[in-house]
Amino acid sequence: MKPRIREAVVVEGRYDKNTLSQVVDGVILETSGFGVFKDDEALALLRRLAGERGLVILTDSDGAGFVIRNYLKGAIAPSQVKHAYIPDRPGKEKRKRAPGKEGKLGVEGMPPAVLLEALRRAGATFLDETTEKGPTGRAITKADLYAAGLSGTPDAAERRRVLLKRLDLPERLSPNAMLQVLNALYDYETLAALGLL
């Protein structure tokens, strides 16, 4: 069973997210590389999650990773952010034909044990190892989204857009990302009581 992390973890891209999601259970968001610099909604969501759960920034150890890390460091309250660093390891990821510009492995190329150790050193809260509990109510499921007409129906995209706007969340969240964010901020009972599910 994968360990659960309380804080939301921010990585650079989808391959980093895929790798980390095989190691830990929790909210993992991507910056779309430098895309976060121009995405006010994404930054607002990161600030909100940082305020409610805390945030762990886990970027590659190359120059681009540090540019993104420093941008987020300046945009989010320092007391709400933890920084996880991966070691400099030369190499290339399996999916790439050639190494990156600096010849270093990124988050996606790190072994699971290295990623776990980086999160531990950063001070991430592993819920299974502490007395702190996660959300108190039932988790929201894909079936709940389907039952509420938020997925799998012809007008699901519009319903999601309306719900996300009402909850002041980025409207470009995919259904899977929306489910992850909803579970980070709410539980089923809370949204049902508001008439949203």
Side-chain angles (χ1 to χ4, degrees), residues 123-149:
T125 308
F126 286 80
L127 294 174
D128 305 329
E129 300 171 5
T130 68
T131 57
E132 186 173 344
K133 301 292 181 211
T136 56
R138 177 171 80 73
I140 303 157
T141 65
K142 286 186 178 186
D144 295 327
L145 297 184
Y146 179 79

Side-chain angles (χ1 to χ4, degrees), residues 163-176:
L163 173 68
L164 292 168
K165 185 173 180 126
R166 186 161 172 205
L167 295 174
D168 197 25
L169 294 169
E171 56 186 73
R172 286 190 295 274
L173 287 175
S174 70
N176 286 337

Side-chain angles (χ1 to χ4, degrees), residues 47-130:
R47 285 182 177 137
R48 184 171 175 186
L49 286 167
E52 297 204 17
R53 304 175 69 92
L55 206 62
V56 177
I57 299 174
L58 177 62
T59 57
D60 294 349
S61 58
D62 60 6
F66 276 88
V67 168
I68 294 166
R69 180 185 298 277
N70 288 331
Y71 172 77
L72 294 175
K73 190 188 290 188
I76 301 170
S79 62
Q80 300 170 343
V81 178
K82 297 174 181 178
H83 293 273
Y85 296 93
I86 59 171
D88 281 346
R89 297 241 173 108
K92 73 168 191 65
E93 282 79 11
K94 291 178 184 175
R95 69 177 177 84
K96 295 181 179 177
R97 290 186 181 173
K101 192 164 120 178
E102 295 180 32
K104 298 177 183 178
L105 285 174
V107 169
E108 75 170 282
M110 289 291 138
V114 171
L115 294 173
L116 277 173
E117 182 58 26
L119 291 169
R120 287 186 195 287
R121 281 195 317 263
T125 308
F126 286 80
L127 294 174
D128 305 329
E129 300 171 5
T130 68

